[in-house]
Amino acid sequence: MLDINIKGTIPKNMEERGLNILSDNLGEIENILNQRKMPKKGLSDEKIELLLNFLANMDTDKDPKAIRVGEREARISSEIHKKLSSNFCHGIGRSGNLVDPQPKAPGASAMYALTNKILESFLKNLNVNVNALATPVSTGMSIALCLSALKRGFLVENSKMDKDTKITTKQYSKYDGANVVIYPYASHKSPIKSTSFVGMRMRFVETKLSDKDDCVEIPVEDIISATEKELKDGKNPVILSTLTFFPPRRSDDVEEISKYCLENNIPHIINGAYAIQNHKYLDKLKKALKYRVDAIVSSTDKNLMTPIGGGIIYSKDKNFLKEVSLTYPGRASATPIVNTFVSLLSMGMDKYTYLMKEQVKNKNLLDELLVELANKTENKKLDVDSPIASCITTKKDPIDVSAKLYNLRVTGPRGIKTTDHFGNCYMQDYKYNYVVMNASIGVKETDVINAVNKLSKVI
Amino acid sequence: MLDINIKGTIPKNMEERGLNILSDNLGEIENILNQRKMPKKGLSDEKIELLLNFLANMDTDKDPKAIRVGEREARISSEIHKKLSSNFCHGIGRSGNLVDPQPKAPGASAMYALTNKILESFLKNLNVNVNALATPVSTGMSIALCLSALKRGFLVENSKMDKDTKITTKQYSKYDGANVVIYPYASHKSPIKSTSFVGMRMRFVETKLSDKDDCVEIPVEDIISATEKELKDGKNPVILSTLTFFPPRRSDDVEEISKYCLENNIPHIINGAYAIQNHKYLDKLKKALKYRVDAIVSSTDKNLMTPIGGGIIYSKDKNFLKEVSLTYPGRASATPIVNTFVSLLSMGMDKYTYLMKEQVKNKNLLDELLVELANKTENKKLDVDSPIASCITTKKDPIDVSAKLYNLRVTGPRGIKTTDHFGNCYMQDYKYNYVVMNASIGVKETDVINAVNKLSKVI
Amino acid sequence: MLDINIKGTIPKNMEERGLNILSDNLGEIENILNQRKMPKKGLSDEKIELLLNFLANMDTDKDPKAIRVGEREARISSEIHKKLSSNFCHGIGRSGNLVDPQPKAPGASAMYALTNKILESFLKNLNVNVNALATPVSTGMSIALCLSALKRGFLVENSKMDKDTKITTKQYSKYDGANVVIYPYASHKSPIKSTSFVGMRMRFVETKLSDKDDCVEIPVEDIISATEKELKDGKNPVILSTLTFFPPRRSDDVEEISKYCLENNIPHIINGAYAIQNHKYLDKLKKALKYRVDAIVSSTDKNLMTPIGGGIIYSKDKNFLKEVSLTYPGRASATPIVNTFVSLLSMGMDKYTYLMKEQVKNKNLLDELLVELANKTENKKLDVDSPIASCITTKKDPIDVSAKLYNLRVTGPRGIKTTDHFGNCYMQDYKYNYVVMNASIGVKETDVINAVNKLSKVI
Amino acid sequence: MLDINIKGTIPKNMEERGLNILSDNLGEIENILNQRKMPKKGLSDEKIELLLNFLANMDTDKDPKAIRVGEREARISSEIHKKLSSNFCHGIGRSGNLVDPQPKAPGASAMYALTNKILESFLKNLNVNVNALATPVSTGMSIALCLSALKRGFLVENSKMDKDTKITTKQYSKYDGANVVIYPYASHKSPIKSTSFVGMRMRFVETKLSDKDDCVEIPVEDIISATEKELKDGKNPVILSTLTFFPPRRSDDVEEISKYCLENNIPHIINGAYAIQNHKYLDKLKKALKYRVDAIVSSTDKNLMTPIGGGIIYSKDKNFLKEVSLTYPGRASATPIVNTFVSLLSMGMDKYTYLMKEQVKNKNLLDELLVELANKTENKKLDVDSPIASCITTKKDPIDVSAKLYNLRVTGPRGIKTTDHFGNCYMQDYKYNYVVMNASIGVKETDVINAVNKLSKVI
């Protein structure tokens, strides 16, 4: 592909050394292309950009011999556009299928395919064996893609194993399309908007106060009974459960819901916006994946530290992901996909594993400091159930507290009043006024320490 | 805001000169911020990047004093992400309203507001007086946003003027939400997918062969009668008309449709994917805008030469644009908006006007060359009606012809067989086998000449 | 060298197309490496950067396997350094020989060798058949390099052809080293400083007023007689002649000086700071090169439009260039060499030829406008002899005129008083007060027009 | 200077927050301009580039209103040139004075002045109270600048204090110019070439073997007697002493030499190529600076981790630095100065102090590992005297050993034979065959460990 001829410019032994070094450098790029896996050690930015450069130079708008008379030829009006799109000016997708190769963009198409492969290897490294689809839209719109796919109806492959003979038979049944979303309530606007966006009705299942701790939760029985009611009414329900949300809202019991869904042939989407960063969440996902999970939706910015704009949809069901990909109307910006590609290659498994450990350490630190602060101030660190966020009660107006923190340049804390039913996801008054703080992936120890310090000053 | 103190490093008169030059350079940036209009002369890439730099340095993830304990703090894992997002790592949008200012991202929010302002001034310069919304998704998904907004139903402001007293009274009527899309057929997959995506039914109106030229067209009466039928069935129809498509499909008569829609209170969306680049299209839009047009959807890549991924929705109805903005589930990548911002500032009106003129010139050249070729080869340049694209008949298999052109590195031509009903948008056999070629904005004279040359070799 | 494996990510035919496009793109880079000539058509910045990237990735500081325990390992403290040096952090040169390959920097060494090759092909295209050395220092210091080489003394190859037998014999004579520089006076500080820098004495030859036009000039006889005088005193003189300088100073008659130098075995350096941009200068060089020219020194910023900092030394005498290269104490920044490399590849011969023609056109325009202005204002366009610059007399104080022009943001004009002996290179009072303006390579038509306009306002 | 008007685009409180964040970000840049000192904490690359951007936008080639009719207008032929020069296309220096402000380049001139100020504050932080001059050339050429200045002769200020009255009188004596360089021998080609370059004679003082350790050294008496001899011959000698060189060559006793120079009015230049990185060297410099040191020359790449190409000349004698600056013939590339500027701002004192400590730690580790290896292999770690480099004897041919190390990708070790008089700086056979390794600033612990490992495999 590339003949670097420097013969005669420098002595033979130096030439060999130089070409060896270049070859070793290009070798890191070739490895990615050959193995299509998340590398153990991250690549340097230069190498990633070189790989992207090679891929972008396969698109027809880079063809030095091209004669371009289409109505869309990826012409650009500024060099800045190249940086913003990593020179994938043709975007991704074709005629309403996100993952379909685009003839004008062999490079972008290959880049997208690679991203999905590497994403799958990444999840596999975390012991989540699934197919994965990087999407060019955030969590909310990615949930919309899933719901829209379910709504349309399609053929479902049901492999059945005879218990006696152990012979598996492939069977197909037509799924007629969902028309109502069962939503164990969380005050997350995106899934609610997603449902409305794709023209479905949403049925909320109300939260209850836990009797063993301070959590707000939805018993699986309530979810089941809401679903059964819809079925009885002749509807096709889909359950949209929530794994990751601000405490005191407890994660839904995705394993039990998945069991029910498998047994009753109910589609099941899990909103796991920031689930990938912590093994407690991943363990729950792994258990749920044994039963029925049509898709899990996660955010690339929250888990992979990309700029906002990309999502990940993953599932054991490859066909369903194809259905999801087919719902997208038109083509899309390549940038969110490139962001995902860059994050995976840049961090490598070593860095990601390290960051996961740091997240746990910082969450523990946050808990310790909040307990200490609670003791000092006669407040209480709430007994909730989140590997990311913690709550502490406050005697002062929590809205006031978080406003003061904002002015002290602490970003992120949410102050919630007992009467803020949206904020605490609870339709009656909650037991406490409280403030939530997060130690999510990428947080620094100093952030945690300084945030609690500032908090101690305002409560 | 900025004190550049170089006192004493160089002689006073040089210091003054230096600061004056800097001030003049920064002045170009200040002008954009003060005037919020498409500049006459485009800005250099350096200036645009400096302006973007200032704006991005207002987001809280750039705050050197910030303590960050949210679950989403726009952390990134590689410096490459900064380039890909112009450092607007927090994206745009808030809680499911695209244009809502995001407290963590004052800079990105201001950038988005500016983009919309400049976009409006750009359209105004083209004599299209509308409100405008840059969207972070392409034409297809932008149409979905419009349809989804219509589907939900909302309050409509109907200002009524008393004919005698000349007093205007604000009135509101509830619009109950559309549930069927009347679609004068065009073989454009995106609008069809959009309709399905938002969970609406699409009713196609069939094309007919024109009796005065070679066009395929849909008489307005047919559109009206299809609409009336739905109304009679108690449905709430919305008309999705097409202004820009490959010939022989003629543009829908958007003016007449708009008149009908106004009189009958029917929402009307115009798909004007590449309408902005040519005054023939713009004139049609201006006429339609006198009556009822809820929104026009155009592409940023086709009209403004951005990389693929952004859209423009524009309308005289500010409230409807707000509804559209409210349908978006979650936040979105800032990049497509930045691309639009960059294109507008980079070209300036002078360059855009020049490019429009070049487009007309190149389309004329294409027509001349095709007539010449047709005469030489006993073919016919079709008598169709497009300011962008032209058709020539071919005796050879047109699929073959376009495949050969592809191998000769001509991108863009479409070869359509008489029997390709999807391709020619006509449900019966079309009169000719033909090849379509485009002279859209940004095309070069050499592209046109070389493409016809290659074509002459293969037909 | 590079295996881009995207097998299976996209359909086979797209894969082939993509790889072909990539291969064509990389092919432009390979061509440069294979041909080592100034390309006809310039390369895009992306391609040049990719080529530089490949070369820089051959240096040992990029070796992913390197273990680095030297006292100088090209470590850098900021990523910005990479941009500033095109990642050639090891610089160029080795142990006091500029062109010696540096074992730690195979890539930089190859880049430097390539630059010199391409530079030679560039000069050859301009019909100047010489060896060339790009230097990492400007004109002044490059002259110092030449003088220092002459001063040290070295073996000279004197090929002698027997007039009868036509047999050529290689002979070597020791050149003992120059110790005095004969300088036909020009008020150019750099050559004067160069002479002082390398510890030589400078003997000025005074200018005279021409009796046929308005030029200030040095008759060749005067140069010769000054040289003879030094020879008589037992000195080893070298003549440093000036080809390019502000009028009214006429170019030295480099052809006649070269003839004398050949006959009398006197070294001869030509200061041709901005000679390459215009064929009148080039023609004079070509004529001089038939006789004795040890080296010509030109600027890269003035001729090749690089940032300031590089020089070009060229000569038919390859050995002398090697001597020059050997005088440099230590290593040097790679950046000025990269600048030269970039300029040559970026412009290509087509662009350079075009710019040369534009220069001539703009100089003619400048002359016309100045004649016109002179007529209108009863001034005189001086009858001088420069293909770049023109002079017009002024009744007002010329210092004042040029100060006013400076304030009107006209950069470049020099206002010279009759009594400014340094400015006009004439030891007595010159005939006129005048202003000089330049139409050098890269000047724009609007610059010329606007400058004369502003001038007309102040005189 | 800059009015960022985003009024009305976002809510007032967000606007304030955004402008505050921007203001804090710009504040870091303003601080540098106001304080002109090495910051404690380094600036991010983005901030440094923004500061450079502001400065570069003061040069006249950036003036949007400029009319350019000079013969040198900093025109460039490629955008790449901007990166390579940080857009200081006019370079630095004016008419042969490096530090003179250049009227066409107010920004570059201010940048250079700032660099020198910050450099001085950096050295002051290291307790070296001197004036400093960043040069656009490496150590070798910087030494040439110093020697050339000395050679020319100039007025020297001799402040004399009357012992009784304590009144100080300013006096000037003319220094007639040095003509011979006394060089206590080190096998460093650059100073030798420098001397030749400026046209001076070099008188070597031979090394001796130490009788208390394994060092090769030059007794101060020998240096003095060589100097006296030249004085007696009517010459004007200058002593060029060496502080930093490969062991076994011991540093010259710069304190004693300085004492002698003060008492005898002999100019004294210290070659301290990589002296700044280690306090043992700095302490020696501080002691010497109490007496006569005209200038110390250090490398920016070795001490500040810039790409190769810049130097630092520092001295208590401000006037002498001015003389040095005045010797430079012509203008020069701005890049080496920008590199120095970037390094200083990028590291800040905290990082530099950290790196100095790491260097000491790694040198200790290198010593320990070599002692261990020596014991295991019956070799000897030489008893030499360097804070950077260590030597170990080898029974195998040291040339062979270092060649093998090179092939194992260990860069930096030098293998020296007893008979290699150039390598060991000793004119007779040295006691041992040995290999030298360096733990200089920026070296990594793994480099040291791996290098000794590889060494243990080959000896």
Side-chain angles (χ1 to χ4, degrees), chain D residues 107-121:
Chain D
S109 304
M111 181 276 298
Y112 193 5
L114 273 172
T115 304
N116 287 333
K117 284 274 175 207
I118 296 170
L119 196 53
E120 284 172 4
S121 87

Side-chain angles (χ1 to χ4, degrees), chain A residues 45 48-49 60 63 65-73 75-81 83-86 88-91 95-96 103-104 137-138 140-141 144-145 148 151-152 189-190 193-194 196-199 246 274 301-302 304-309 326-336 338-339 342-343 346-347 406 408-413 437-438 440-443 447-448 450-451 454, chain B residues 45 48-49 60 63 65-73 75-81 83-86 88-91 95-96 103-104 137-138 140-141 144-145 148 151-152 189-190 193-194 196-199 246 274 301-302 304-309 326-336 338-339 342-343 346-347 406 408-413 437-438 440-443 447-448 450-451 454:
Chain A
D45 281 0
I48 297 173
E49 288 191 316
T60 56
D63 185 353
K65 297 176 182 160
I67 302 162
R68 295 149 77 191
V69 289
E71 105 286 16
R72 158 185 71 77
E73 291 288 359
R75 295 177 183 113
I76 50 172
S77 48
S78 158
E79 292 295 301
I80 305 174
H81 290 313
K83 294 188 204 169
L84 286 164
S85 67
S86 190
F88 294 113
C89 301
H90 266 299
S95 302
K104 287 191 180 173
V137 283
S138 299
M141 194 59 110
L145 290 171
S148 180
K151 191 190 56 189
R152 290 187 319 154
K189 278 191 188 167
S190 291
K193 290 244 167 184
S194 305
S196 155
F197 188 65
V198 300
F246 291 107
Y274 46 94
D301 67 275
K302 288 176 187 166
L304 292 175
M305 300 197 285
T306 68
I308 277 161
L326 276 163
T327 61
Y328 198 94
R331 280 168 311 126
S333 168
T335 296
V338 180
N339 278 330
V342 167
S343 277
S346 171
M347 293 192 286
Y406 183 79
L408 291 168
R409 302 222 170 156
V410 186
T411 61
M437 277 184 175
N438 301 269
S440 57
I441 197 160
V443 73
D447 283 331
V448 171
N450 292 336
K454 298 285 181 192
Chain B
D45 282 0
I48 298 173
E49 288 191 317
T60 56
D63 185 352
K65 297 176 182 161
I67 302 163
R68 296 149 78 190
V69 289
E71 105 286 17
R72 155 184 74 79
E73 290 288 358
R75 295 177 184 115
I76 51 172
S77 47
S78 158
E79 292 295 301
I80 305 173
H81 290 312
K83 295 188 204 172
L84 286 164
S85 66
S86 190
F88 294 114
C89 301
H90 266 298
S95 302
K104 287 191 179 174
V137 282
S138 299
M141 194 59 109
L145 291 172
S148 180
K151 190 190 56 188
R152 289 188 319 156
K189 277 191 187 167
S190 291
K193 290 242 166 185
S194 305
S196 154
F197 188 65
V198 300
F246 291 107
Y274 45 94
D301 66 277
K302 287 176 187 166
L304 293 175
M305 300 197 286
T306 68
I308 277 161
L326 276 163
T327 61
Y328 198 95
R331 279 167 311 125
S333 168
T335 295
V338 180
N339 278 331
V342 166
S343 277
S346 171
M347 293 192 286
Y406 183 79
L408 292 168
R409 301 218 169 160
V410 185
T411 61
M437 275 184 175
N438 301 272
S440 56
I441 197 161
V443 74
D447 283 330
V448 171
N450 292 335
K454 299 285 180 193

Side-chain angles (χ1 to χ4, degrees), chain C residues 139 187-188 190 244-247 271-275 277 281 299-306 308 359 366 386-390 411-414 436-443, chain D residues 67-75 90 102 104 331:
Chain C
T139 316
S187 56
H188 191 186
S190 291
T244 58
F245 200 68
F246 291 106
N271 176 6
Y274 46 95
Q277 68 185 286
Y281 286 142
S299 151
T300 58
D301 67 276
K302 287 176 188 166
N303 296 289
L304 294 175
M305 300 197 285
T306 67
I308 278 161
Q359 188 274 322
L366 176 62
S386 162
I388 306 293
S390 308
T411 61
R414 284 160 45 114
V436 194
M437 277 184 174
N438 301 271
S440 57
I441 197 160
V443 74
Chain D
I67 302 164
R68 295 148 79 191
V69 290
E71 106 285 16
R72 156 184 73 79
E73 290 288 357
R75 298 181 182 109
H90 266 299
Q102 164 61 246
K104 288 191 180 176
R331 281 168 309 127

Side-chain angles (χ1 to χ4, degrees), chain C residues 49 63 67 69 73 77-78 81 83 89 96 151 193 197 199 305 308 326 331 339 343 409 411 438, chain D residues 45 49 63 67 69 73 77 81 83 89 96 151 193 197 199 305 308 326 331 339 343 409 411 438:
Chain C
E49 288 191 315
D63 185 352
I67 302 163
V69 289
E73 290 288 358
S77 49
S78 157
H81 291 312
K83 294 188 205 171
C89 302
K151 189 191 56 189
K193 290 245 167 183
F197 189 64
M305 300 197 285
I308 278 161
L326 275 163
R331 280 167 310 127
N339 278 330
S343 277
R409 300 218 171 162
T411 61
N438 301 271
Chain D
D45 281 0
E49 288 191 317
D63 185 351
I67 302 164
V69 290
E73 290 288 357
S77 48
H81 291 313
K83 295 188 204 170
C89 301
K151 190 191 55 188
K193 291 241 167 185
F197 189 65
M305 299 197 287
I308 277 160
L326 276 163
R331 281 168 309 127
N339 278 330
S343 277
R409 301 218 170 161
T411 60
N438 300 271

